[in-house]
Amino acid sequence: INLKSKMGLGHEQGFGAPCLKCKDKCEGFELHFWRKICRNCKCGQEEHDVLTSNEEDRKVGKLFEDTKYTTLIAKLKNDGIPMYKRNVMILTNPVPAKKNISINTVTYEWAPPVQNQTLARQYMQMLPKEKQPVAGSEGAQYRKKQLAKQLPAHDQDPSKCHELSPSEVKQMEQFVKKYKSEALGVGDVKLPGEVETKAADKNNVNNGDRGTSAAVGAMEGKPGDQKASQYCCYRCKLNMKEGDPAVYAERAGYDKLWHPACFVCCTCSELLVDMIYFWKNGDLYCGRHYCDSEKPRCAGCDELIFSNEYTQAEGQNWHLKHFCCFDCDCVLAGEIYVMVNDKPVCKPCYVKNHAAICQGCHNAIDPEVQRVTYNNFNWHATQECFLCSCCSKCLIGQKFMPIEGMVFCSVECKKKMMS
């Protein structure tokens, strides 16, 4: 039976993928049956090298379907699934070697979809080095992780969710439709001067000769430094250098612009992956945090909650059937549980897997009883356990001298024991 279930799991997405966090400690990714984590190491899906770029491109392709960003997707002939057409940028730099010139090639797994490659190159150089998605680098790994984290498939595709009722599926479809029409966008990389000139031309057509003040400034051809100071980044409020590309977000209006490294989510401050943003109340969000601002998210399965009934515990929201022990998955409603690293654990699992061990009797200390803790050592706060390691005098309420995992009532006892 075991073999069969193992084989069945083999068809799951990312089965056996290595964990980037635990390295060799994890036997490879095995998806929990409803949590979005690995059963072997309990790290999240995004910590594992799970999705192939093909699967990622399908996910983003689906996100752009039925939006104005269909230019960024291509339909596959055979199954009609929309695929994201990533702009991959390959730069070749001739490197003078001693005898001949060798070619150094750098591949960016994603680059802003602009016609002008110099602009795309400048944009990339304005990102922190460790976040530039150069193939085979930590920047490429960072982009992959952010794709999984910021745009979870289960935030847009009901078929990727666990056991939704027909009415929940309907609600989810409406929710996705709404955010596609009201919030979703993709940043534009442009030189601020170009945007102003266009705005100026448009204004002059519309208002006779009344340009906007910014556009007038641009048209009067002020000296360079003054001109540079016209453009200031919406996030850091610092000026843009003239000639540097900026990111614009259509939903925010073209009067706002960002430094490439400042185009981040207002909640997690991470670079918006592939410049995919959600605009709401004057702020940029990544997909995950936009959805969190609209709907409760279950801390158990990581999905948005579309049912009216759910529970709140420990400052988080949970589907009723997902408020479970993180170790054994038993339902915790009405049971005693202990929080371990922000995850609820039932009492038996806590005692078995996480409880502190008493230095006196060497048994686990029940989470509900009193204990004495010093450095990383623990004792039951009882007359039987918290004793002088030399003369066995009870030390509760007394001064004591700790040495490693031992405690002494006096210098004499300490000397005796140490000698």
Side-chain angles (χ1 to χ4, degrees), residues 146-259:
Q146 292 307 320
L147 263 177
K149 202 141 184 70
Q150 297 181 21
L151 302 168
H154 51 268
D155 278 10
Q156 55 152 328
D157 184 350
S159 74
K160 297 276 189 279
C161 297
H162 190 71
E163 297 179 354
L164 294 183
S165 71
S167 100
E168 287 169 321
V169 170
K170 207 178 206 141
Q171 284 181 60
M172 182 169 188
E173 285 168 346
Q174 285 166 342
F175 174 71
V176 173
K177 197 172 169 180
K178 188 166 182 277
Y179 74 53
K180 284 186 179 186
S181 74
E182 292 175 10
L184 174 69
V186 180
D188 288 320
V189 176
K190 295 185 188 306
L191 290 170
E194 288 178 80
V195 179
E196 293 280 80
T197 322
K198 275 190 195 145
D201 294 347
K202 208 165 165 185
N203 274 310
N204 293 340
V205 172
N206 298 348
N207 323 345
D209 279 330
R210 292 198 316 272
T212 62
S213 55
V216 169
M219 290 163 76
E220 282 167 5
K222 291 184 179 174
D225 23 308
Q226 273 178 290
K227 190 169 168 193
S229 70
Q230 286 188 98
Y231 309 115
C232 97
C233 171
Y234 186 71
R235 180 169 195 256
C236 72
K237 307 293 184 255
L238 295 176
N239 290 346
M240 288 284 178
K241 286 205 189 92
E242 201 180 342
D244 272 352
V247 183
Y248 288 85
E250 188 183 3
R251 292 201 187 263
Y254 283 92
D255 56 332
K256 300 178 186 64
L257 72 174
W258 286 261
H259 289 112

Side-chain angles (χ1 to χ4, degrees), residues 53-54 56-57 72 83-88 108-111 143 147 274:
S53 53
N54 200 355
E56 288 166 349
D57 291 345
L72 296 174
M83 286 289 268
Y84 176 33
K85 288 190 301 198
R86 265 178 304 135
N87 182 32
V88 175
Y108 288 94
E109 293 188 353
W110 169 85
R143 174 180 170 270
L147 263 177
D274 295 9

Side-chain angles (χ1 to χ4, degrees), residues 287-300:
R288 168 179 292 274
H289 292 116
Y290 169 81
C291 290
D292 285 354
S293 76
E294 293 278 318
K295 294 275 171 206
R297 185 184 295 281
C298 174

Side-chain angles (χ1 to χ4, degrees), residues 142 146 150 235 258 260-273 276-278 283-293:
Y142 169 78
Q146 292 307 320
Q150 297 181 21
R235 180 169 195 256
W258 286 261
C262 289
F263 199 65
V264 298
C265 168
C266 68
T267 304
C268 61
S269 302
E270 295 293 358
L271 277 183
L272 290 165
V273 70
I276 299 168
Y277 70 86
F278 289 70
D283 279 316
L284 290 170
Y285 288 87
C286 68
R288 168 179 292 274
H289 292 116
Y290 169 81
C291 290
D292 285 354
S293 76

